[in-house]
Amino acid sequence: MTTEKEARFRSSLLEWSAQNLRDFAWREPNRSLYEVFVAEFFLTQTPAENVASVYPTFLERFPSLDAIDEATRDELVEIIEPLGFYNIRADALKTIAAECDSLPDEADELSDLQRVGQYVANATLCFADGEPLPVLDRNVERIYGRVFGEEWPDSPSDQLQFATRLVPKDDARTYNLALLDFGASVCQPDPLCQRCFASEYCEYYNQTS
Ligand code: SF4
């Protein structure tokens, strides 16, 4: 059960999202699980703008895991080189394509694939299928830590529980996209608190202003 403050943050964030979500090709409606996975896989440790520059070419050349399986590693590298970590990423994609006919639609199975992990698995299933899973990276941890102060737990498993509780079951996709964009544009490492809907009740703001 969410607290009053948690419910307030959630509804303000959803309201904020109506005007502020960023447009990216992988966020277009009806993207398949595979297409969303490709984006989330590349977005790890890579700016969205870099991923956007290779995403359409990659999907055109490799529209499925089968296409990756049939390609050589060099053919993958040729396209993903601008993203960095291209050898590691190409090897992982080749391994995944060799192991799977299609991507698993269970978070535990998806996260077990090479170089995937819980964040990419949850983001993929939430953004492709609307699964109410928490999408918890360092930026989201920063937001929750600031807004909720001591209520934000220390242990990763408690943080996961806390974050899961906040995800609205009926609009998980919008909520999680909004968290990512709020962290990128307002609650940045150097936060823009004057422009923030949460300043009235944000622990960080109230302790530092
Ligand atoms: S008030 Fe500042 S620190 Fe708090 S959530 Fe907003 S931007 Fe982040």
Side-chain angles (χ1 to χ4, degrees):
M1 179 139 169
T2 49
T3 65
E4 196 179 319
K5 180 169 171 177
E6 289 165 4
R8 186 176 178 190
F9 174 77
R10 180 167 59 198
S11 70
S12 319
L13 183 67
L14 285 169
E15 211 172 291
W16 177 88
S17 74
Q19 303 294 329
N20 293 287
L21 289 192
R22 295 174 294 176
D23 276 333
F24 291 114
W26 50 89
R27 292 185 177 185
E28 289 165 2
N30 304 319
R31 283 284 182 199
S32 67
L33 191 69
Y34 170 77
E35 290 168 339
V36 175
F37 169 78
V38 166
E40 295 304 329
F41 184 82
F42 289 150
L43 283 164
T44 308
Q45 296 179 294
T46 308
E49 292 68 24
N50 291 17
V51 176
S53 71
V54 306
Y55 186 69
T57 315
F58 186 91
L59 287 186
E60 196 178 323
R61 176 64 185 81
F62 307 110
S64 64
L65 285 179
D66 279 349
I68 293 176
D69 197 27
E70 286 163 13
T72 65
R73 183 174 177 270
D74 286 351
E75 287 172 321
L76 287 170
V77 167
E78 193 182 328
I79 293 176
I80 66 175
E81 197 170 0
L83 301 178
F85 308 112
Y86 44 85
N87 285 327
I88 295 170
R89 284 170 158 157
D91 285 342
L93 286 172
K94 288 289 294 171
T95 302
I96 292 168
E99 287 174 352
C100 306
D101 292 333
S102 59
L103 289 169
D105 58 6
E106 294 292 332
D108 287 347
E109 284 179 56
L110 189 55
S111 69
D112 277 348
L113 298 179
Q114 190 165 334
R115 285 188 62 80
V116 175
Q118 187 170 49
Y119 174 85
V120 171
N122 285 7
T124 299
L125 293 171
C126 179
F127 299 147
D129 292 342
E131 294 265 350
L133 295 164
V135 170
L136 196 55
D137 66 0
R138 271 180 300 172
N139 293 324
V140 174
E141 287 170 20
R142 181 181 66 242
I143 297 167
Y144 283 151
R146 283 172 173 172
V147 174
F148 295 102
E150 290 185 358
E151 292 167 36
W152 175 240
D154 291 330
S155 86
S157 63
D158 289 346
Q159 289 181 351
L160 199 61
Q161 256 186 8
F162 187 110
T164 302
R165 190 168 69 236
L166 261 81
V167 177
K169 305 287 171 281
D170 58 349
D171 203 359
R173 183 177 188 275
T174 307
Y175 178 82
N176 280 328
L177 289 175
L179 265 183
L180 300 184
D181 290 0
F182 179 62
S185 62
V186 182
C187 197
Q188 307 161 347
D190 187 10
L192 306 176
C193 300
Q194 303 302 332
R195 288 175 36 190
C196 180
F197 59 78
S199 57
E200 198 180 311
Y201 53 86
C202 171
E203 297 294 331
Y204 175 91
Y205 181 71
N206 288 307
Q207 283 168 17
T208 56
S209 61

